């Protein structure tokens, strides 16, 4: 069994507001904060928690700044964010919506290789520079452009996951599937309302479940998802630090303020292939089970869960693919309240991608910041779990680039 | 053009070559957009993206200075439409291997559609058109001259659609010898948004031309309501009479409340007590005081003195306003110009002081901020009847029909001066509706209601006032 050869921790997490439609201060026709603003705010948020902020390396995770912002060479922004990174090795990682998870894994590998004792990790995306119809073009790059874009839906990824939702409804019952998705939406917004930084923090809809039950309309959007099933276009950044024990000491961080990495696993799929079974997220399952195995714990030991729910159906499929629910059973699990903040397996407590928002390349880092806050008792929507472990799954594209990490309280 | 023609196929064939005369104007540019939208869509359905060379739209206006703005308007409308209809655009362009992303397809659509349109300053540009929309100035002489020219220029089967809001079709048809190829096709302002088209067949209008008009209405996504060929038709038949009534009430109320006060409270009563999007005098500003006068003159020419209900189509106050230079109307941006009211961002901020007009010191307004002046007269209207819901709210309410029934019943019983004044307007409106139906201008109460509800955004028709 694979084991971590040394102890590794995450700490000093910070998320900016995730900005976009739904926030009261969002006005699409007025100037918006620039990406530099988000990067600086995130870095300052992290640095403020570190007595001696001296890092050996920097990692920035991002998907499509080249198109949204016409900006490449992103490693060059790390020394702007953290002056101490001038002259240090820095890298940008990209794996579509799974970029953040890859960024965390890249930092962990540097630490494991004894190349660094502390790595600053940031993730971000700024998408509101484009209208939704063009954002869809850019995000379609997370799929196989040459092979699938021409015949894909105008809203490419909603189209892709609509196909999965359609197959799921076909196999396990359309009504039950719709109810499960509606409940997932309700849960996301209820959690987001407790998180002042969430894109849906200002959401005041009375009957969220009813809204989530809105029948999909293929003529206006896609056939098996409504707009509430989808995460929105978001701007935002997150950052944290990954350290060895030596690194924690050098930076002056207390172990009680950190979470310890227990296991992690990546899994890649062939982007040119269609999923063999559209109701299964095979790479999500493989990565999550691999991370649990390395951690030496089981699903029952997970006290807080962070899933990549770019669409409500993705949340349900992830629960089943990891084995938290049996095939076809995730909807009932959610309807029964098991994934709610007071449930057995509190999931996506800051709102998830649908509630908190989904600045694509930043989401994986955001998930770790949220696990860190939950397990150190500092989360805005804090739950009291008797369990010490948390797990996150960061997914890129149509279940192609997946990284799962299991962490535990380190006190 | 035989009797076998008409219907959908003919309409689609004719949409390949279209001209719009007066395309630089407010209505003309809107009609140009409506036509271009339908043509570009048909081109895309047939050829993947528009710009196949099989469709042509001549945009004709005597003033070339209007063209840059017109082209910019058409382009921005195309872009908005293409972005919204991206699903359809992708389907139509499915065989174009070079067009992959939404952005590729939208750009190709907009550029291709713009290539359909060419701007010309002479009516000769309409030479090869199969459908000619005319939206030039509302002037009988000008129109007569234009149609005579078009008749000699265009093919003998060309169909003409005039946007006149008041001039009888038969007179134009006969004067130019169009032999039944002219149809009244009256768009409401702005044509890009308003659903209503009043469709007027003259005495000689051929049945297949009328059928073509109905198909065009469908292709444009419009609601066509047939009207008989009586000057003013249904829409202005009602609007003009109501305005004349409002001016009479103004003269009645001005000695009691003062000039500016009487204008404001009549406007407020007709907006709030009748639950309409705007009051009568604001609507006059929206239309334009000068445009209104032109319509009035046309109706006077054709309807006075034997008007069915005894209406006299002239008004002394209106004449005085025009003589003093009060105009209203809108800027190219859609912003409301000052008229009977002064506006900031389309909101009323001051009221015209009619009595002060002849002092030779420009056009005098009284600011709404002058509370001491306006509070008492407005308070004198009394409270709105029970069940009142502002138009902006009720218009979106799926249960508005029931709420309106209840409200109108309360309005009928209320004893406030505002309610009494409101009832006078509703009684008058109902009377006008009956006249329009009784004299055959409208086929029935429903058609009058359709015009007022879709062209003027009323929430109920004149016959729905049953009290």
């Amino acid at each position: 069994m694979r084991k971590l050869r040394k102890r590794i921790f995450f700490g000093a997490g910070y998320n900016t507001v995730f900005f976009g439609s739904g926030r009261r201060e969002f006005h699409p026709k007025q100037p918006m904060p620039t990406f530099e603003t988000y990067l600086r705010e995130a870095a300052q948020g992290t640095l403020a928690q570190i007595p001696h902020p001296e890092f050996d390396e920097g990692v920035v995770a991002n998907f499509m700044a080249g198109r949204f912002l016409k900006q490449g060479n992103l490693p060059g922004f790390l020394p702007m964010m953290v002056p101490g990174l001038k002259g240090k090795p820095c890298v940008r990682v990209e794996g579509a919506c799974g970029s953040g998870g890859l960024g965390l894994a890249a930092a962990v590998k540097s630490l494991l290789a004894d190349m660094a004792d502390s790595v600053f990790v940031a993730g971000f995306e700024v998408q509101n520079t484009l209208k939704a119809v063009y954002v869809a073009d850019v995000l379609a790059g997370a799929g196989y452009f040459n092979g699938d874009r021409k015949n894909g839906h105008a809203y490419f990824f909603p189209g892709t996951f609509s196909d999965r939702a359609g197959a799921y409804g076909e196999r396990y019952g359309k009504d039950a599937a719709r109810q499960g998705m509606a409940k997932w939406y309700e849960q996301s917004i209820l959690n987001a309302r407790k998180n002042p930084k969430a894109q849906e923090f200002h959401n005041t809809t009375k009957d969220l479940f009813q809204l989530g039950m809105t029948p999909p309309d293929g003529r206006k959007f896609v056939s098996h998802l409504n707009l509430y099933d989808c995460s929105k276009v978001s701007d935002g950044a997150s950052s944290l630090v990954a350290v060895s024990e030596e690194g924690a000491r050098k930076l002056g961080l207390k172990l009680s303020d950190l979470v310890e990495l227990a296991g992690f696993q990546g899994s890649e799929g062939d982007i040119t292939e269609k999923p063999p079974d559209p109701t299964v997220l095979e790479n999500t399952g493989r990565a999550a089970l691999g991370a649990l195995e390395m951690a030496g714990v089981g699903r029952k030991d997970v006290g807080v869960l962070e899933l990549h729910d770019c669409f409500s159906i993705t949340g349900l499929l992830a629960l089943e693919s990891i084995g938290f629910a049996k095939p076809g059973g995730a909807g009932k699990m959610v309807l029964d309240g098991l994934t709610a903040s007071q449930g057995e397996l509190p999931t996506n407590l800051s709102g998830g991608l649908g509630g908190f928002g989904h600045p694509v390349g930043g989401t994986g880092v955001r998930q770790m910041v949220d696990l860190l806050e939950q397990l150190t008792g500092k989360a805005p929507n804090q739950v009291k779990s008797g369990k010490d472990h948390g797990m996150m799954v960061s997914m890129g594209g149509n279940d192609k680039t997946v990284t799962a990490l299991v962490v535990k309280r380190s006190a | 053009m035989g009797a076998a023609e008409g219907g959908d196929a003919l309409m689609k064939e004719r949409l390949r070559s279209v001209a719009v005369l007066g395309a630089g104007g407010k209505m003309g540019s809107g009609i140009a957009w409506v036509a271009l939208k339908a043509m570009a869509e048909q081109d895309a359905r047939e050829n993947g993206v528009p710009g196949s060379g099989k469709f042509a739209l001549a945009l004709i206006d005597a003033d070339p200075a209007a063209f840059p703005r017109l082209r910019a308007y058409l382009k921005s409308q195309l872009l908005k439409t293409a972005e919204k209809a991206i699903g359809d655009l992708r389907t139509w362009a499915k065989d174009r291997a070079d067009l992959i992303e939404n952005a590729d397809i939208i750009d190709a659509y907009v550029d291709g559609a713009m290539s359909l349109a060419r701007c010309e300053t002479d009516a000769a540009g309409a030479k090869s058109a199969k459908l000619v929309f005319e939206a030039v100035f509302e002037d009988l002489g000008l129109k007569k001259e234009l149609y005579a020219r078009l008749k000699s220029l265009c093919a003998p089967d060309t169909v003409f659609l005039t946007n006149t809001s008041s001039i009888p079709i038969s007179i134009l048809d006969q004067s130019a010898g169009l032999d039944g190829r002219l149809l009244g096709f009256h768009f409401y302002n702005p044509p890009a948004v308003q659903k209503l088209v009043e469709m007027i067949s003259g005495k000689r209008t051929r049945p297949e031309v009328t059928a073509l008009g109905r198909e065009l209405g469908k292709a444009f996504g419009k609601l066509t309501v047939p009207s008989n060929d009586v000057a003013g038709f249904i829409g202005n038949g009602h609007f003009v009479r109501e305005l004349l009534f409002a001016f009479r009430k103004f003269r009645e109320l001005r000695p009691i409340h003062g000039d500016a006060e009487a204008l404001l409270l009549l406007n407020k009563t007709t907006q709030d007590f009748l639950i309409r999007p705007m009051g009568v005098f604001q609507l006059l500003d929206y239309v334009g005081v000068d445009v209104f006068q032109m319509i009035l003159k046309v109706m006077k020419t054709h309807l006075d003195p034997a008007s069915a209900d005894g209406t006299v189509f002239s008004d002394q106050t209106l004449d005085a306003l025009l003589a003093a230079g009060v105009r209203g109307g809108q800027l190219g941006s859609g912003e409301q110009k000052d008229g009977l009211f002064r506006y900031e961002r389309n909101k009323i901020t001051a009221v015209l002081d009619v009595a002060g007009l002849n002092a030779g010191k420009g056009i005098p307004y009284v600011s709404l901020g002058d509370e001491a002046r306006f509070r008492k007269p407005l308070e004198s209207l009394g409270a709105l009847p029970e069940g009142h819901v502002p138009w902006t709210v009720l218009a979106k309410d799926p249960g508005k029909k029931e709420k309106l029934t209840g409200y109108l019943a309360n309005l009928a019983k209320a004893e406030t001066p505002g309610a009494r004044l409101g009832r006078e307007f509703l009684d008058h409106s109902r009377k006008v509706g009956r006249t329009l139906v009784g004299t055959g201008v409208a086929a029935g109460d429903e058609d009058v209601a359709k015009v007022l509800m879709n062209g003027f955004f009323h929430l109920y028709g004149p016959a729905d006032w049953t009290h």
Side-chain angles (χ1 to χ4, degrees):
Chain A
M1 197 170 83
R2 296 171 314 122
K3 277 200 130 148
L4 291 166
R5 57 182 289 273
K6 62 198 267 195
R7 296 181 79 190
I8 287 170
F9 305 87
F10 297 103
Y14 187 88
N15 298 319
T16 66
V17 161
F18 284 5
F19 190 63
S21 71
R23 293 288 304 185
R24 269 189 207 134
E25 67 273 28
F26 177 76
H27 302 288
K29 287 184 181 159
Q30 283 174 18
M32 297 180 206
T34 61
F35 79 96
E36 296 96 316
T37 315
Y38 289 108
L39 291 181
R40 286 200 178 98
E41 183 194 331
Q44 279 157 15
T46 289
L47 294 182
Q49 301 174 55
I50 303 175
H52 311 293
E54 286 299 326
F55 307 104
D56 298 324
E57 289 185 12
V59 176
V60 59
N62 173 269
F63 176 30
M64 278 286 194
R67 293 197 66 183
F68 285 122
L69 306 168
K70 316 273 185 221
Q71 181 63 61
N73 203 0
L74 299 180
F77 288 92
L78 284 162
M80 176 203 81
M81 300 164 71
V82 181
L85 282 171
K86 271 187 194 162
K88 303 284 174 63
C90 287
V91 66
R92 176 255 184 96
V93 293
E94 189 273 304
C97 327
S99 300
L102 285 187
L104 296 171
V108 166
K109 287 173 186 172
S110 276
L111 296 168
L112 287 175
D114 293 339
M115 295 296 289
D117 283 318
S118 63
V119 183
F120 175 82
V121 183
F124 82 100
E125 204 81 50
V126 166
Q127 307 177 275
N128 280 297
T129 51
L130 297 178
K131 285 188 189 171
V133 65
Y134 305 113
V135 169
D137 276 339
V138 176
L139 297 183
Y144 176 34
F145 185 85
N146 269 350
D148 298 334
R149 179 65 186 116
K150 176 63 185 168
N151 295 320
H153 197 279
Y155 290 90
F156 185 81
F157 267 95
T160 301
F161 279 87
S162 168
D163 292 347
R164 285 188 181 269
Y168 186 84
E170 195 68 28
R171 187 171 305 172
Y172 300 115
K174 245 173 121 174
D175 293 346
R178 170 58 31 219
Q179 286 181 24
M181 288 189 265
K183 192 72 182 173
W184 187 273
Y185 168 71
E186 179 188 77
Q187 175 186 300
S188 302
I189 305 300
L190 291 177
N191 284 334
R193 284 179 186 168
K194 295 186 180 147
N195 172 11
K197 289 180 173 174
Q199 194 166 346
E200 294 295 333
F201 177 63
H202 298 131
N203 184 311
T204 54
T205 302
K206 284 200 188 96
D207 195 339
L208 291 162
F209 181 76
Q210 189 60 33
L211 196 58
M213 288 300 289
T214 307
D217 181 351
R219 285 170 306 127
K220 287 189 181 148
F221 187 48
V222 294
S223 301
H224 306 291
L225 297 177
N226 60 39
L227 287 172
Y228 312 102
D229 291 317
C230 308
S231 54
K232 291 178 167 180
V233 173
S234 319
D235 299 344
S238 298
S239 61
L240 50 71
V241 60
V243 289
S244 62
E245 276 184 286
E246 176 65 9
R249 197 183 52 75
K250 279 196 222 164
L251 269 56
L253 294 168
K254 284 188 288 185
L255 289 191
S256 59
D257 290 332
L258 310 178
V259 286
E260 182 173 358
L261 180 68
F264 76 110
Q265 172 78 51
S267 179
E268 196 69 38
D270 179 346
I271 196 171
T272 68
E273 287 177 357
K274 300 253 182 290
D277 181 344
T279 67
V280 176
L281 302 176
E282 55 172 349
N283 287 296
T284 292
R286 195 175 298 125
L289 295 176
L292 285 169
E293 191 193 345
M294 184 190 265
V297 295
R299 286 183 291 259
K300 62 178 185 345
D301 300 308
V302 174
V304 279
L305 181 62
E306 271 292 332
L307 292 180
H308 186 96
D309 58 336
C310 45
F311 303 95
S312 53
I313 185 66
T314 326
L316 301 185
L317 295 181
L319 285 172
E320 293 176 15
S321 301
I322 301 169
F324 286 112
K326 65 179 191 331
K332 184 168 185 321
M333 181 180 178
V334 176
L335 285 160
D336 288 348
L338 297 183
T339 53
S341 57
Q342 303 306 318
E344 239 170 65
L345 180 63
T347 302
N348 290 3
L349 287 160
S350 63
L353 281 64
F356 198 156
H358 183 26
V360 181
T363 286
V365 181
R366 190 277 300 161
Q367 290 176 303
M368 184 55 81
V369 172
D370 285 341
L371 285 184
L372 170 66
E373 290 184 349
Q374 280 293 340
L375 293 174
T376 54
K378 293 170 187 161
N381 184 23
Q382 185 67 47
V383 294
K384 279 191 187 133
S385 171
K387 299 173 182 176
D388 290 331
H389 287 81
M391 177 163 78
M392 61 164 274
V393 179
S394 170
M395 184 187 88
N398 187 10
D399 186 45
K400 294 303 179 193
T401 303
V402 184
T403 312
L405 297 99
V406 176
V407 290
K408 61 183 179 189
R409 295 184 215 272
S410 63
Chain B
M1 208 166 53
E5 285 187 292
D8 189 47
L10 173 69
M11 186 275 297
K12 283 193 172 149
E13 212 38 52
R14 286 178 177 275
L15 268 184
R16 290 175 197 280
S17 185
V18 177
V20 179
L21 289 137
K26 193 165 67 172
M27 295 302 288
S29 57
I31 295 168
W33 159 241
V34 171
L36 179 58
K37 180 171 183 267
M39 294 168 77
E41 186 179 318
Q42 198 185 322
D43 199 357
R45 279 179 194 279
E46 292 174 11
N47 304 297
V49 287
S52 64
K54 295 171 188 161
F55 291 77
L57 173 64
L59 303 173
I60 301 165
D61 200 285
D63 178 14
F67 292 147
R69 201 182 58 222
L70 172 61
R71 293 191 72 89
Y73 166 70
L74 293 176
K75 196 164 180 176
S76 75
Q77 289 288 104
L78 275 167
L79 183 62
K80 263 193 265 174
T81 307
E83 286 172 348
K84 222 170 152 186
I86 182 62
D88 290 335
L89 263 62
R90 289 192 76 92
T91 306
W92 298 330
K94 66 180 189 310
D95 296 328
R96 282 286 299 267
D98 58 323
L99 301 177
I100 299 172
E101 296 206 299
N102 293 341
D104 302 336
I105 294 168
I106 289 166
D107 286 350
Y109 192 90
V110 172
D111 292 346
M114 283 306 289
S115 78
L116 268 58
R118 58 170 209 279
C119 294
E120 313 237 7
T121 50
D122 191 87
K127 194 168 183 274
S128 53
K130 292 288 185 186
L131 275 181
V132 176
F133 290 89
E134 172 271 303
V136 303
F137 212 59
E138 193 79 336
D139 179 291
L140 184 61
L142 176 71
K143 287 194 197 249
K144 277 183 174 171
E145 203 179 302
L146 181 61
Y147 279 108
R149 177 120 193 271
L150 287 170
K151 195 204 169 191
S152 67
L153 277 170
C154 299
D157 65 343
T158 302
V159 166
F160 301 94
L161 301 111
T162 175
N163 189 53
T164 182
S165 65
S166 56
I167 300 174
I169 309 307
S170 307
I171 291 175
L172 287 174
D173 187 312
Q174 200 180 1
S175 80
L178 293 176
D179 201 21
R181 288 185 285 133
L182 179 67
L183 182 70
F185 208 70
H186 176 217
F187 288 87
Y188 274 67
N189 182 26
V193 179
Q194 294 261 47
K195 288 287 264 184
L196 180 69
V197 169
E198 249 180 314
M199 214 173 73
I200 307 105
S201 305
K203 280 189 211 98
R204 298 159 63 89
T205 303
R206 302 181 192 183
E208 63 268 28
V209 170
T210 306
L212 175 73
R214 273 196 297 271
E215 291 301 325
L216 265 181
K218 274 189 230 159
F220 290 167
K222 301 294 179 194
L223 173 76
T224 50
V225 176
S227 164
N228 229 325
D229 193 19
V230 176
F233 318 126
I234 300 173
N236 280 332
H238 184 276
F239 172 55
V240 165
R241 287 175 171 90
E242 183 160 85
L243 240 300
L244 292 171
F245 178 71
F247 275 122
R248 288 205 295 280
K249 292 306 295 181
F250 167 70
R251 288 188 289 273
E252 214 177 290
L253 294 177
R254 68 196 291 195
I256 307 167
H257 298 288
D259 280 6
E261 296 86 337
L263 270 189
L264 186 65
L265 71 81
L266 279 163
N267 196 64
K268 202 172 163 52
T269 303
T270 46
Q271 176 168 11
D272 294 351
F273 284 78
L274 305 191
I275 316 187
R276 290 182 181 179
M278 54 176 84
V280 274
F281 291 126
Q282 188 183 352
L283 183 57
L284 176 60
D285 279 347
Y286 180 84
V287 170
V289 183
D290 46 354
V291 174
F292 182 80
Q293 174 80 321
M294 253 164 5
I295 298 168
L296 194 63
K297 272 189 188 156
V298 172
M299 292 178 74
K300 184 178 174 65
T301 307
H302 300 287
L303 299 180
D304 266 0
S307 146
D309 55 351
T311 305
V312 176
F313 289 95
S314 60
D315 187 86
Q316 62 195 77
T317 307
L318 185 73
D319 292 342
L321 293 177
L322 278 163
V326 178
R327 289 288 180 274
Q330 282 137 58
L331 295 169
S333 61
E335 203 179 320
Q336 179 64 50
K337 291 196 268 186
D338 295 343
L340 276 70
F341 300 108
R342 181 177 276 164
Y343 298 87
E344 261 168 48
R345 292 188 190 166
N346 296 348
K347 284 224 158 72
I348 296 175
T349 58
V351 188
L352 181 72
D353 189 10
V354 182
L357 273 178
N358 297 322
K361 288 182 190 161
I363 301 172
Y365 289 94
V366 184
S367 166
L368 277 192
D370 191 347
E371 231 195 277
R373 208 165 150 177
F374 289 115
R375 200 181 54 221
K376 230 176 108 188
L378 287 181
E379 279 178 1
S380 77
L381 292 174
L384 288 160
E386 206 179 313
H388 178 269
V389 184
W391 180 88
T392 43
V393 178
L394 195 59
K396 290 182 211 139
D397 189 338
K400 60 178 166 250
K401 210 171 163 186
E402 263 175 43
K403 286 185 186 166
L404 269 169
T405 309
Y407 172 75
L408 291 176
N410 292 338
L411 178 67
K413 287 181 290 194
E415 274 314 320
T416 59
R420 275 199 293 273
L421 188 55
R423 288 199 294 267
E424 283 189 64
F425 273 88
L426 288 176
D427 290 344
H428 180 265
S429 171
R430 180 171 56 195
K431 198 179 101 198
V432 172
R434 282 177 185 160
T435 302
L436 292 171
V437 176
T439 55
V441 179
D445 289 340
E446 314 75 49
D447 282 356
V448 178
K450 270 188 205 167
V451 168
L452 292 180
M453 291 168 76
N454 292 284
F456 295 82
F457 296 109
H458 292 186
L459 299 178
Y460 51 96
D464 294 325
W465 172 245
T466 52
H467 302 279

